[in-house]
Amino acid sequence: MTKTTSDRAAVLRILRVNSSARFEESTSRALADDLVAALEARYRKVAIVDRDLAGGIAFVDEGWVGANFTAAATRDEEQRKKLASSDELVAELQAADVIVIGMPVYNFSIPATLKAWIDMVARAGLTFRYTEDGPLGLLEKKKVYLAIASGGVPIDSPADFATPYLRHVLRFIGIDDVDVFAADQINRLGEEAIESARLKIADAIHAGPALRVNAA
Ligand SMILES: Cc1cc2nc3c(=O)[nH]c(=O)nc-3n(C[C@H](O)[C@H](O)[C@H](O)COP(=O)(O)O)c2cc1C
């Protein structure tokens, strides 16, 4: 069945990207789930795509670089295959209205899987392009909710290389509307940190300004 524009326009398309290596005990996953549940409650019609990075993700390698820097029209079969999973990740991102990212702080930065995801979606000509004035992000009108968990590092402190980096690279591909919900310093604050993030999520989604739903 072909969906009409108005059908599509009514559906909030959510991409949930999780990067914790843990499942049952993961705080960042729980917060990402809270965000998605709150979005479902508010917008009713949502389409959710899950991209779980815990199972592994391809790294940039020599063949990938060669394929990526070959013009799309002249790529051979092997090069197209090499880029297939990266193309899929880019398409998921392009299709989303909202991206919910669950991110633990690992060794003061983002998990390696999330970095690998960024390497796969930061694609010249697809998610950014070079202009005379410098690089220009090509993803438009998207919102990111970032659910962060940390053991000891206070978010946005000098020891937090995760949040500023992620904000920077998201801006690079065109996404500057990023709301951060952090259960940080869990080692010291325990449940209090998690509860505080949960309350902020409930508040922001239920009472915050309505999100744009982009017609495809
Ligand atoms: C490999 C690894 C490295 C970590 N490095 C840091 C760190 O540098 N700073 C920090 O505050 N917490 C660090 N932690 C603690 C996690 O950020 C914390 O346990 C968080 O809750 C993990 O997210 P999750 O609950 O979603 O799995 C680390 C945890 C692991 C497993």
Side-chain angles (χ1 to χ4, degrees), residues 20 22 25-29 104-108 149-153 186:
S20 173
R22 303 194 295 174
E25 301 292 319
S26 165
T27 299
S28 61
R29 282 176 189 275
V105 174
Y106 283 172
N107 298 309
F108 308 99
S150 87
V153 164
I186 293 173

Short mmCIF file of all heavy atoms in Angstrom, two decimals, residues 20 22 25-29 104-108 149-153 186, ligand 1:
data_model
loop_
_atom_site.label_atom_id
_atom_site.label_comp_id
_atom_site.label_asym_id
_atom_site.label_seq_id
_atom_site.Cartn_x
_atom_site.Cartn_y
_atom_site.Cartn_z
N SER A 20 25.44 0.97 24.68
CA SER A 20 25.98 0.30 25.87
C SER A 20 26.26 -1.15 25.54
O SER A 20 25.47 -1.81 24.86
CB SER A 20 25.00 0.38 27.03
OG SER A 20 25.49 -0.42 28.10
N ARG A 22 26.09 -3.28 27.79
CA ARG A 22 25.22 -4.00 28.72
C ARG A 22 23.76 -3.92 28.26
O ARG A 22 23.38 -2.99 27.56
CB ARG A 22 25.33 -3.40 30.12
CG ARG A 22 26.74 -3.37 30.65
CD ARG A 22 26.77 -3.11 32.13
NE ARG A 22 26.27 -1.78 32.49
CZ ARG A 22 26.10 -1.40 33.74
NH1 ARG A 22 26.38 -2.22 34.73
NH2 ARG A 22 25.66 -0.18 34.01
N GLU A 25 21.39 -4.28 32.88
CA GLU A 25 21.77 -3.30 33.90
C GLU A 25 22.05 -1.91 33.33
O GLU A 25 22.50 -1.02 34.05
CB GLU A 25 23.03 -3.78 34.64
CG GLU A 25 22.89 -5.13 35.34
CD GLU A 25 21.92 -5.04 36.52
OE1 GLU A 25 21.97 -4.05 37.27
OE2 GLU A 25 21.10 -5.97 36.66
N SER A 26 21.82 -1.74 32.06
CA SER A 26 22.25 -0.50 31.42
C SER A 26 21.34 0.69 31.74
O SER A 26 20.14 0.65 31.48
CB SER A 26 22.30 -0.70 29.90
OG SER A 26 22.39 0.55 29.25
N THR A 27 21.93 1.73 32.26
CA THR A 27 21.18 2.95 32.55
C THR A 27 20.90 3.74 31.27
O THR A 27 19.80 4.27 31.09
CB THR A 27 21.97 3.83 33.54
OG1 THR A 27 22.15 3.10 34.75
CG2 THR A 27 21.24 5.12 33.83
N SER A 28 21.89 3.82 30.38
CA SER A 28 21.66 4.62 29.16
C SER A 28 20.55 3.99 28.30
O SER A 28 19.74 4.70 27.70
CB SER A 28 22.95 4.76 28.35
OG SER A 28 23.44 3.51 27.93
N ARG A 29 20.48 2.65 28.29
CA ARG A 29 19.38 1.99 27.55
C ARG A 29 18.04 2.29 28.21
O ARG A 29 17.04 2.55 27.53
CB ARG A 29 19.58 0.47 27.52
CG ARG A 29 20.60 0.01 26.51
CD ARG A 29 20.79 -1.50 26.61
NE ARG A 29 21.90 -1.91 25.78
CZ ARG A 29 21.81 -2.18 24.48
NH1 ARG A 29 20.65 -2.13 23.87
NH2 ARG A 29 22.87 -2.52 23.80
N PRO A 104 26.78 5.38 27.05
CA PRO A 104 27.59 5.43 28.27
C PRO A 104 28.88 6.19 28.01
O PRO A 104 29.33 6.27 26.87
CB PRO A 104 27.92 3.95 28.54
CG PRO A 104 27.51 3.19 27.35
CD PRO A 104 26.92 4.10 26.33
N VAL A 105 29.45 6.74 29.06
CA VAL A 105 30.81 7.28 28.94
C VAL A 105 31.77 6.12 29.16
O VAL A 105 31.69 5.43 30.18
CB VAL A 105 31.06 8.40 30.00
CG1 VAL A 105 32.52 8.84 29.97
CG2 VAL A 105 30.14 9.58 29.76
N TYR A 106 32.61 5.88 28.19
CA TYR A 106 33.67 4.87 28.32
C TYR A 106 35.01 5.57 28.20
O TYR A 106 35.29 6.21 27.17
CB TYR A 106 33.57 3.82 27.20
CG TYR A 106 32.48 2.76 27.36
CD1 TYR A 106 32.21 1.89 26.31
CD2 TYR A 106 31.74 2.62 28.52
CE1 TYR A 106 31.23 0.91 26.41
CE2 TYR A 106 30.75 1.65 28.64
CZ TYR A 106 30.50 0.80 27.59
OH TYR A 106 29.52 -0.16 27.70
N ASN A 107 35.82 5.44 29.22
CA ASN A 107 37.16 6.02 29.18
C ASN A 107 37.15 7.48 28.69
O ASN A 107 37.85 7.85 27.77
CB ASN A 107 38.11 5.14 28.36
CG ASN A 107 38.23 3.77 29.01
OD1 ASN A 107 38.51 3.67 30.20
ND2 ASN A 107 37.95 2.71 28.27
N PHE A 108 36.28 8.24 29.33
CA PHE A 108 36.14 9.69 29.15
C PHE A 108 35.54 10.09 27.80
O PHE A 108 35.43 11.27 27.49
CB PHE A 108 37.48 10.41 29.37
CG PHE A 108 38.10 10.02 30.68
CD1 PHE A 108 39.10 9.06 30.74
CD2 PHE A 108 37.64 10.58 31.86
CE1 PHE A 108 39.64 8.67 31.95
CE2 PHE A 108 38.17 10.18 33.08
CZ PHE A 108 39.17 9.23 33.13
N ALA A 149 24.92 7.94 30.44
CA ALA A 149 25.21 7.42 31.78
C ALA A 149 26.71 7.48 32.00
O ALA A 149 27.49 7.15 31.09
CB ALA A 149 24.72 5.99 31.91
N SER A 150 27.10 7.91 33.20
CA SER A 150 28.52 7.87 33.53
C SER A 150 28.71 7.42 34.97
O SER A 150 27.83 7.62 35.81
CB SER A 150 29.18 9.24 33.33
OG SER A 150 29.06 10.03 34.49
N GLY A 151 29.86 6.82 35.24
CA GLY A 151 30.16 6.36 36.59
C GLY A 151 30.65 7.49 37.47
O GLY A 151 30.11 7.74 38.55
N GLY A 152 31.67 8.21 36.99
CA GLY A 152 32.27 9.24 37.83
C GLY A 152 32.35 10.61 37.19
O GLY A 152 32.39 11.64 37.88
N VAL A 153 32.37 10.65 35.88
CA VAL A 153 32.60 11.92 35.18
C VAL A 153 31.33 12.78 35.15
O VAL A 153 30.28 12.32 34.69
CB VAL A 153 33.07 11.64 33.72
CG1 VAL A 153 32.95 12.87 32.85
CG2 VAL A 153 34.50 11.12 33.72
N ILE A 186 27.07 8.19 38.58
CA ILE A 186 26.23 7.18 39.23
C ILE A 186 26.96 6.52 40.41
O ILE A 186 26.34 6.16 41.40
CB ILE A 186 25.78 6.11 38.20
CG1 ILE A 186 24.82 6.74 37.19
CG2 ILE A 186 25.11 4.92 38.89
CD1 ILE A 186 24.44 5.83 36.04
C1 LIG B 1 34.78 0.05 29.68
C2 LIG B 1 34.18 1.07 30.58
C3 LIG B 1 34.78 2.29 30.70
C4 LIG B 1 34.23 3.25 31.54
N1 LIG B 1 34.82 4.48 31.61
C5 LIG B 1 34.24 5.44 32.34
C6 LIG B 1 34.79 6.76 32.38
O1 LIG B 1 35.80 7.06 31.77
N2 LIG B 1 34.16 7.70 33.12
C7 LIG B 1 33.01 7.44 33.81
O2 LIG B 1 32.47 8.33 34.45
N3 LIG B 1 32.46 6.19 33.80
C8 LIG B 1 33.05 5.21 33.08
N4 LIG B 1 32.49 3.96 33.04
C9 LIG B 1 31.25 3.72 33.80
C10 LIG B 1 30.03 3.81 32.91
O3 LIG B 1 29.95 5.04 32.24
C11 LIG B 1 28.78 3.60 33.75
O4 LIG B 1 28.83 2.31 34.34
C12 LIG B 1 27.52 3.71 32.92
O5 LIG B 1 26.39 3.48 33.74
C13 LIG B 1 27.55 2.70 31.78
O6 LIG B 1 26.41 2.87 30.98
P1 LIG B 1 25.27 1.75 30.95
O7 LIG B 1 24.71 1.71 32.36
O8 LIG B 1 24.28 2.25 29.98
O9 LIG B 1 25.91 0.46 30.58
C14 LIG B 1 33.04 2.98 32.26
C15 LIG B 1 32.44 1.73 32.13
C16 LIG B 1 33.01 0.79 31.31
C17 LIG B 1 32.33 -0.56 31.18
#
